[in-house]
Amino acid sequence: MSRECCGPEVPVIPEPVDACCGPSEPTGREEHEEVPPWWRDRALALPVVSGLLWVTGLILGWAGQQAPALIVFAVGLAAGAWTFVPGTIKRLVTAKGRGRLGVGLLMTIAAIGAVLLGHIGEAAALAFLFSIAETLEDRAMDRAQQGLRALLSLIPETARVARRGGEQMIPAADVRVLDVLIVGAGERVATDGVVTSGRSWVDTSAITGESIPVDVGPGDEMLAGSVNGSGTLNIEATADGRDNSLTKIVHLVEQAHATKGERARMADRIARPLVPLVLIAAALIVAFGFLVGDPSTWTERALVVLVAASPCALAIAVPVTVISAIGSASKFGVVIKSGAAFEQLGTIGRVAFDKTGTLTRNEPRVVTTHTSGEHTETDVLGLAAALEATSSHPLAEAITAAAPNRPEATDVRELPGHGLSGVVDGRRVRVGSPRWIDPQSLTGSATELSGQGMSLIVVEVEDQVIGVIGIRDELRPEAAEAILALRELGLSTVMLTGDNTRTAHAIAARAGIDEVHAEQLPEDKAEHIRHSTQQVPTAMIGDGINDAPALASATVGIAMGVTGSAAAVESADVAFTGSDLRLIPDALAHAKRGRAIMTSNIALALAIIVVLFPLALFGVLGLAAVVLVHEVAEVIVILNGVRASRSKRRAHPVHPMDARTSSSTDSVNVSA
């Protein structure tokens, strides 16, 4: 029926890169191993043990049990240090240039300095905080890589091809250019190609993201991963099974994740120049001691300087704020996967939306019905629904839902790629697209509805057209309110969609979107997002597999988690557990506030280092005073970071037009 709309190899997933410290250490998971829940994640075991031992040591110390406290601190230090010290030493030996230096090295030296000066509890705290932050970042990267396999699952393991000796089943990865694929009803297309014979409708939502299928016939192009409808198609392959539009999506996501891995976190960017400066200063202090003939005094001062310059408060500044803010966001349905994602979310200046399933409901519905005057809208819908009740086409569901009380049809026949015919109450009825059935006197109405971005169904009785039905995937009721709220925050908006230009502009106008880019393939969306992020930090919001490359390429990718595909959710940095678009401005405002708190915390931590450094260098403050100041600073940083847990959400009244309102209500809204 005609409606208008629009087991390969597993790729090598790039090794995550720490922007400051070089390649991250392996997490202990195999490439195909699923990321377990956090309570069963072995990678979190040592950081958690380190934290528990540190807290236990504090309790024992307060109780006056100094010797047991010292032992517990030492074991906790060893547990936390084991997660990053071996990697730090390895980088010192194998890496080149500034790749050898990083937060890990500074933490290692600071912990050693604290131990040499007898402050094992301070060293244990450093080891715990740094190990838990690094492990959580590694876990977020593992989940992102896991999402790539969801993309590859769309390609069937085998393909049916025509050979001289007849049909053969071969691995999909072995399909070559010019092979003729035979794709039956309901089967997925193994690779890109061109239809050589047969007619059908095809669900391309996995690639284009559009919920309304497209008719195909001889000469039409097909995309890998598309699902065939009711007919059988012969398709001549134009791409190998290992190199097609779907595997290209996977590679785009890979490249985007590799690029993101090179983006330093805020603390890393600060530590990059801090590490070599502190190390050089400590070495110069020791050398000065030998020059003046008092090496012991100046060596001790060098160690005190290392402790003074140790990023204890800096190590806490980011995690405390991030954990507080992320925990608060999760309470209203926003899951932020990592600290880096939270930091970037607070910088966003432009928001890009996918259309289908994000701005719209992803549920095609009857919007309006125009009649020839001799029949009522109820008659037209009833006759169309009588035939459509036997069809598996997605648009059939929209029509049957609009006419629950319908007559019975007999002798129903489906002509793939055209429409349906049958007998209702003794009359011969046909339903199909304007390409198959001439709208006759309703040509003007058909043109008008098509201009509004609707898919059309023409209803004909005894060779006379009695009505035209307009079907469209409608805008979410809260979309315009959410876009207005984003504009009030000073953010620009853009819509990227694989749908046709007319439909895209019609939806964008109703939502209030600033900029529209239609008929976009996944690689087009990703390229547009990459270009946008070079100009201004950009968030991409989507829910489909076709959005995965753009989500991964954005400064922050946001997936609509309830209806979103697994690949989209895993490729994104943030996932919404609900579908209310008004959460977007709330989440962005929350992140901006949290980032401001984080920035003030980092400024305080750096100020402590700047003040303590000269005081420690010239012996004004001894180790005890330096440690005391550090502890006070840590308490202040923690209290300030906890403020990020306060979320200021706007009240969102229930919208009068729910997602399940009747089609008549939609008709009123469209005409308005």
Side-chain angles (χ1 to χ4, degrees):
M1 190 168 189
S2 181
R3 273 90 168 176
E4 296 179 3
C5 79
C6 75
E9 286 183 330
V10 176
V12 178
I13 299 174
E15 184 180 21
V17 176
D18 185 298
C20 180
C21 308
S24 298
E25 289 303 300
T27 60
R29 301 187 182 99
E30 298 299 326
E31 182 179 358
H32 297 287
E33 188 178 343
E34 297 294 315
V35 178
W38 65 268
W39 61 87
R40 289 193 296 153
D41 192 343
R42 288 176 296 176
L44 285 170
L46 283 177
V48 170
V49 168
S50 176
L52 292 175
L53 289 172
W54 176 59
V55 172
T56 302
L58 291 177
I59 295 173
L60 290 173
W62 291 334
Q65 304 294 319
Q66 299 302 325
L70 187 64
I71 295 173
V72 171
F73 278 141
V75 177
L77 169 61
W82 187 256
T83 65
F84 64 90
V85 171
T88 298
I89 296 173
K90 180 181 177 181
R91 281 192 292 273
L92 280 174
V93 175
T94 61
K96 297 179 180 179
R98 299 186 67 177
R100 299 180 179 184
L101 308 179
V103 180
L105 180 59
L106 194 58
M107 289 289 188
T108 301
I109 294 174
I112 292 173
V115 170
L116 291 176
L117 294 174
H119 289 266
I120 299 179
E122 183 84 4
L126 274 176
F128 159 60
L129 291 167
F130 187 65
S131 64
I132 193 71
E134 290 294 294
T135 304
L136 291 175
E137 289 295 329
D138 288 340
R139 179 179 169 84
M141 180 62 74
D142 290 340
R143 290 185 63 84
Q145 293 170 359
Q146 178 183 315
L148 296 179
R149 293 189 287 279
L151 294 170
L152 291 171
S153 66
L154 292 177
I155 300 180
E157 294 182 359
T158 59
R160 189 161 36 129
V161 298
R163 302 293 194 200
R164 291 182 180 178
E167 298 179 4
Q168 291 184 10
M169 296 296 293
I170 65 173
D174 293 342
V175 173
R176 295 292 178 263
V177 176
L178 300 183
D179 279 346
V180 177
L181 308 177
I182 302 172
V183 183
E187 296 179 350
R188 286 191 181 273
V189 180
T191 191
D192 302 334
V194 176
V195 178
T196 57
S197 64
R199 285 191 173 276
S200 184
W201 54 267
V202 179
D203 179 3
T204 63
S205 59
I207 310 302
T208 65
E210 298 313 311
S211 57
I212 299 180
V214 62
D215 302 326
V216 293
D220 290 330
E221 296 183 354
M222 296 286 288
L223 297 174
S226 301
V227 181
N228 185 23
S230 56
T232 299
L233 299 173
N234 285 359
I235 302 172
E236 183 178 280
T238 57
D240 290 344
R242 299 176 187 268
D243 184 20
N244 53 55
S245 56
L246 199 52
T247 58
K248 184 181 295 184
I249 292 177
V250 175
H251 292 306
L252 286 171
V253 175
E254 287 178 346
Q255 293 168 8
H257 278 311
T259 301
K260 268 193 175 179
E262 296 170 1
R263 295 177 185 168
R265 289 168 299 178
M266 189 184 298
D268 291 336
R269 292 196 296 272
I270 294 169
R272 186 177 297 176
L274 180 63
V275 172
L277 288 175
V278 171
L279 295 178
I280 292 171
L284 290 176
I285 293 169
V286 173
F288 179 77
F290 281 96
L291 287 175
V292 299
D294 190 7
S296 61
T297 298
W298 289 96
T299 298
E300 182 177 349
R301 286 190 183 182
L303 291 176
V304 175
V305 164
L306 279 177
V307 174
S310 67
C312 302
L314 186 61
I316 297 174
V318 174
V320 168
T321 309
V322 167
I323 291 171
S324 298
I326 288 177
S328 176
S330 66
K331 294 178 182 178
F332 58 89
V334 179
V335 180
I336 304 174
K337 296 185 180 181
S338 68
F342 172 74
E343 293 177 32
Q344 295 291 345
L345 190 63
T347 68
I348 296 303
R350 177 179 298 159
V351 181
F353 291 87
D354 170 52
K355 181 182 76 68
T356 305
T358 302
L359 287 171
T360 65
R361 300 186 183 102
N362 198 20
E363 298 174 358
R365 300 170 60 196
V366 172
V367 176
T368 186
T369 303
H370 289 198
T371 70
S372 61
E374 299 176 0
H375 294 78
T376 65
E377 293 185 12
T378 302
D379 292 338
V380 172
L381 286 172
L383 290 171
L387 269 62
E388 295 284 11
T390 64
S391 175
S392 60
H393 196 289
L395 291 189
E397 297 181 10
I399 295 176
T400 54
N405 300 319
R406 54 183 176 270
E408 294 293 326
T410 59
D411 195 24
V412 178
R413 299 179 182 180
E414 181 169 0
L415 184 61
H418 291 297
L420 297 163
S421 63
V423 176
V424 182
D425 295 334
R427 296 176 294 176
R428 187 163 52 87
V429 179
R430 289 197 306 164
V431 295
S433 81
R435 291 196 300 273
W436 186 42
I437 304 174
D438 186 352
Q440 299 175 6
S441 62
L442 294 176
T443 299
S445 296
T447 302
E448 178 186 351
L449 298 181
S450 179
Q452 296 176 16
M454 299 185 198
S455 296
L456 305 182
I457 300 298
V458 181
V459 182
E460 178 190 86
V461 177
E462 299 293 353
D463 297 326
Q464 294 295 317
V465 172
I466 65 169
V468 176
I469 302 172
I471 300 174
R472 183 167 59 193
D473 183 13
E474 284 294 85
L475 189 70
R476 291 185 183 275
E478 78 281 2
E481 182 182 346
I483 299 302
L484 179 60
L486 289 173
R487 186 174 290 114
E488 291 174 349
L489 290 174
L491 308 180
S492 60
T493 55
V494 60
M495 185 172 77
L496 306 175
T497 177
D499 208 347
N500 63 74
T501 302
R502 287 183 302 183
T503 300
H505 280 277
I507 292 293
R510 296 175 60 201
I513 297 287
D514 300 325
E515 184 180 340
V516 181
H517 295 272
E519 301 179 16
Q520 301 277 296
L521 291 175
E523 55 265 36
D524 299 326
K525 291 184 179 181
E527 179 59 32
H528 181 89
I529 291 298
R530 280 194 294 270
H531 177 71
S532 179
T533 55
Q534 292 172 1
Q535 300 173 333
V536 60
T538 302
M540 172 68 192
I541 303 175
D543 75 322
I545 288 171
N546 63 299
D547 299 320
L551 290 169
S553 300
T555 307
V556 176
I558 301 175
M560 304 302 286
V562 168
T563 58
S565 68
V569 172
E570 296 297 350
S571 297
D573 305 292
V574 178
F576 286 177
T577 59
S579 58
D580 192 332
L581 293 176
R582 292 171 295 190
L583 285 176
I584 296 169
D586 286 346
L588 290 171
H590 180 64
K592 286 180 182 294
R593 180 175 179 271
R595 194 172 192 274
I597 293 173
M598 185 190 307
T599 303
S600 66
N601 264 352
I602 290 175
L604 174 60
L606 289 176
I608 294 298
I609 293 174
V610 170
V611 171
L612 289 183
F613 188 92
L615 296 178
L617 174 62
F618 295 110
V620 176
L621 293 180
L623 181 61
V626 167
V627 171
L628 177 61
V629 172
H630 266 290
E631 296 298 338
V632 172
E634 288 172 16
V635 171
I636 294 174
V637 163
I638 290 172
L639 293 177
N640 191 40
V642 169
R643 292 196 304 118
S645 63
R646 301 172 188 170
S647 59
K648 296 181 179 180
R649 291 194 61 208
R650 295 173 298 128
H652 295 315
V654 177
H655 199 281
M657 187 175 70
D658 183 75
R660 292 177 174 81
T661 50
S662 66
S663 58
S664 61
T665 304
D666 270 13
S667 300
V668 173
N669 281 329
V670 170
S671 61

